[in-house]
Amino acid sequence: MAPAAALLLACAVAALACLALADPPASEQTALLAFLAAVPHERKLGWSASTPACAWVGVTCDAANSTVVKLRLPGIGLVGPILPGTLGRLANLQVLSLRANRVSGTIPDDLLRLSALRSLFLQDNAVSGAIPPGVSGLAALERLVLSHNNLSGPIPFALGGLAALRALRLDGNWLSGKIPSIANPGLRAFNVSNNMLNGSIPRALSRFPTDTFAGNLQLCGTPLPPCSPFFPSPAPGMGPSDGAPGGTGRKKKKLSTAAIVGIIVAAVAVALLLLLLAIVFCCKKRARRGARMEGPKGTAAAVGQTGTTRPPAASGEGTGTASSPKDDAGTSGAVAAAGGGTGETSRLVFVGKSAGYSFDLEDLLRASAEVLGKGSAGTSYKAVLEEGTTVVVKRLKEVAVAQREFEAHMEAVGGVEHRNLLPVHAYYFSKDEKLLVYDYLPAGSLSAMLHSQ
C-alpha cells in the first residue's frame, strides 16, 4: 500500500503544479497589456508578460485560471479613453470597474458585445457622448452605474428590455429627453437625478423616492408634483351626482317659488331677445339682397370711387397649411369671413416649411409647460407634447390687430429664412388669444449665453 499511496501523492502534486502554471489565453493577456499601454496611469501596476496574468493587480480569473472574469482598477489615475479592441477582447469578462478615474471619450461598442458582463462601473469619470443603444446586447447585465460623467442625449429605451437589471444609476450627467418605462420588477436601485430630463415619470418607476428624480426641472408626475396642462382647465361643472336622483354626494334640493318665477321670466326675456335678433338678421339679409340687385352699374361706381376692388375671400390656399393630419380632409387651414376679416381661426395654422409637424391645438392644450421668460410682447413657454416634440409657444398680449392683417404678417414672417433668425412655424388667432409657435433650442437663451460668465 505504501508505493500506491506515494504514487497517488505524486499525481496530486503534479496536478496542483499544472493548475498553478495555468494561465488565460495569450489573446486576453495581450488585450490587457494593450489597454494599459494606451491609457496613461499614475499608479504602477507591475503588469508584465513574464508573470501570469491571473496574478496581476486588479485581475481575477476563474477557478481554473483559464480566463479573466473580473477587472477592477478603481482610483489608480487612469487618464484618457478606452481603446477599442482591448477590453472588448476579454470574452468571458463578468465585472468591469474603472470608477473614480479620469477615463474620457465614449463607451466602446465592443464592450457592449461582452455577453457575460454582469456589472459595469464607470462612475466618477469624464465619459462623454450618448449611452449606446447597443447596451441591449448585454443580456446578463445586472448593475450599470454611469453616475457623475459627461453623458448626454436620451436614455435608451433598450434598457427596458434588460430582464436581469437590478441597479441603474445615471445621476449627475447631461441626459435629456423622456425617461423610458423600465417595468422590471427586479430593479432595486434607480437614480436619474441632476440631469436635463423632461416629461412625466413613467408609472413603473413612480415607486422610487423623490430624490431619485431631483435636479430635473422639467420632470413631473408621481413622486414629483403632477404635470400641469399648457392652459389651466376650466372649472368643472356639476357632476351627475350633484342633485341627480341617482347621485350619492349631495342631497336633492327643491327650488323655491321665487326661483321658479325668476327662471320663467329669464327664459321669456331670452326668447324675446332671440326673436329680435332674428328680425334684425332678416332685415339685413333683405337689404344686402336688394343691393346686389342694383346690377353692374352700382359695382362700377363703387370701383370708380375707390380705385381698386376688394380681393375675394381667403380660400385656405394662402393662409398656410392645415393644422395637422388629424383634421378632416374637407376643412381649410384657416377660417375667415369673406371681406370682413372678423372670423376667427379655430386651429393652428402652419406657415413656411413646417409640413413635417403633426400636432394641433389640442396637443398644445394637453402639453406640460414651463415658463421661459416674460417680455413686453407676452410670455414664452416651453411646451413638451405627448409625442415627445418640444416647442416654444409665445402667448401675445394686448395685440390689437385685425385677423386679415395678422394672417398676412404671419405668412410674410413664416417665409423668411435666415441662419440668425428663429422661424415661426405656426400661429393661432382668436379674439381673446394669439399664439406663436417656434422651435425649441436646448442650448439656452441669448441672454444666458451673454451674461453666464
Side-chain angles (χ1 to χ4, degrees), residues 22-25 28 32 52-56 58-71 92-94:
D23 203 29
E28 295 186 3
L32 289 170
C54 295
W56 292 352
V59 178
T60 302
C61 297
D62 62 351
N65 285 347
S66 60
T67 186
V68 176
V69 295
K70 297 179 182 179
L71 179 61
N92 299 306
L93 192 65
Q94 298 177 10

Side-chain angles (χ1 to χ4, degrees), residues 135-422:
V135 71
S136 59
L138 302 177
L141 192 65
E142 298 178 359
R143 290 180 291 275
L144 178 62
V145 183
L146 304 175
S147 308
H148 304 292
N149 278 284
N150 294 322
L151 294 170
S152 58
I155 300 175
F157 283 86
L159 290 175
L162 299 179
L165 196 62
R166 299 293 178 266
L168 176 62
R169 298 204 52 168
L170 306 174
D171 47 298
N173 283 284
W174 300 94
L175 298 173
S176 58
K178 292 190 174 183
I179 302 176
S181 179
I182 303 177
N184 187 347
L187 190 64
R188 294 291 178 263
F190 179 80
N191 197 324
V192 291
S193 61
N194 298 315
N195 279 284
M196 301 174 65
L197 301 170
N198 58 51
S200 59
I201 297 173
R203 183 177 301 177
L205 299 174
S206 61
R207 56 190 171 94
F208 291 99
T210 303
D211 55 2
T212 297
F213 307 96
N216 295 278
L217 300 181
Q218 300 170 22
L219 277 182
C220 57
T222 309
L224 299 180
C227 300
S228 59
F230 184 73
F231 294 113
S233 302
M238 291 181 62
S241 61
D242 297 336
T248 58
R250 299 180 180 178
K251 294 182 179 180
K252 184 175 180 181
K253 296 181 179 180
K254 294 184 178 180
L255 294 176
S256 63
T257 304
I260 296 175
V261 173
I263 293 175
I264 295 176
V265 172
V268 173
V270 170
L272 292 177
L273 180 60
L274 292 176
L275 179 61
L276 179 61
L277 290 176
I279 294 174
V280 172
F281 176 76
C282 292
C283 293
K284 286 187 176 182
K285 187 174 182 181
R286 184 173 298 176
R288 290 177 183 174
R289 184 178 301 173
R292 285 198 297 268
M293 294 176 63
E294 292 180 0
K297 184 180 295 183
T299 306
V303 172
Q305 291 176 359
T306 59
T308 58
T309 59
R310 176 174 292 180
S315 63
E317 296 178 0
T319 57
T321 60
S323 173
S324 76
K326 302 176 184 178
D327 300 326
D328 295 335
T331 58
S332 61
V335 180
T342 58
E344 292 187 358
T345 300
S346 59
R347 294 166 296 175
L348 284 178
V349 179
F350 290 89
V351 295
K353 298 180 179 179
S354 306
Y357 286 95
S358 60
F359 59 88
D360 54 19
L361 184 61
E362 293 183 359
D363 295 327
L364 279 182
L365 295 176
R366 292 192 299 265
S368 59
E370 172 195 355
V371 177
L372 295 178
K374 298 182 179 180
S376 58
T379 304
S380 296
Y381 301 85
K382 175 184 177 182
V384 181
L385 306 179
E386 292 181 352
E387 63 184 27
T389 304
T390 303
V391 296
V392 174
V393 180
K394 190 172 187 65
R395 192 177 189 182
L396 303 179
K397 66 176 182 179
E398 299 180 1
V399 177
V401 62
Q403 179 179 352
R404 189 179 299 276
E405 181 180 353
F406 184 86
E407 291 176 349
H409 184 69
M410 287 296 100
E411 287 296 326
V413 172
V416 175
E417 296 184 14
H418 193 278
R419 64 178 183 178
N420 294 331
L421 293 178
L422 190 63

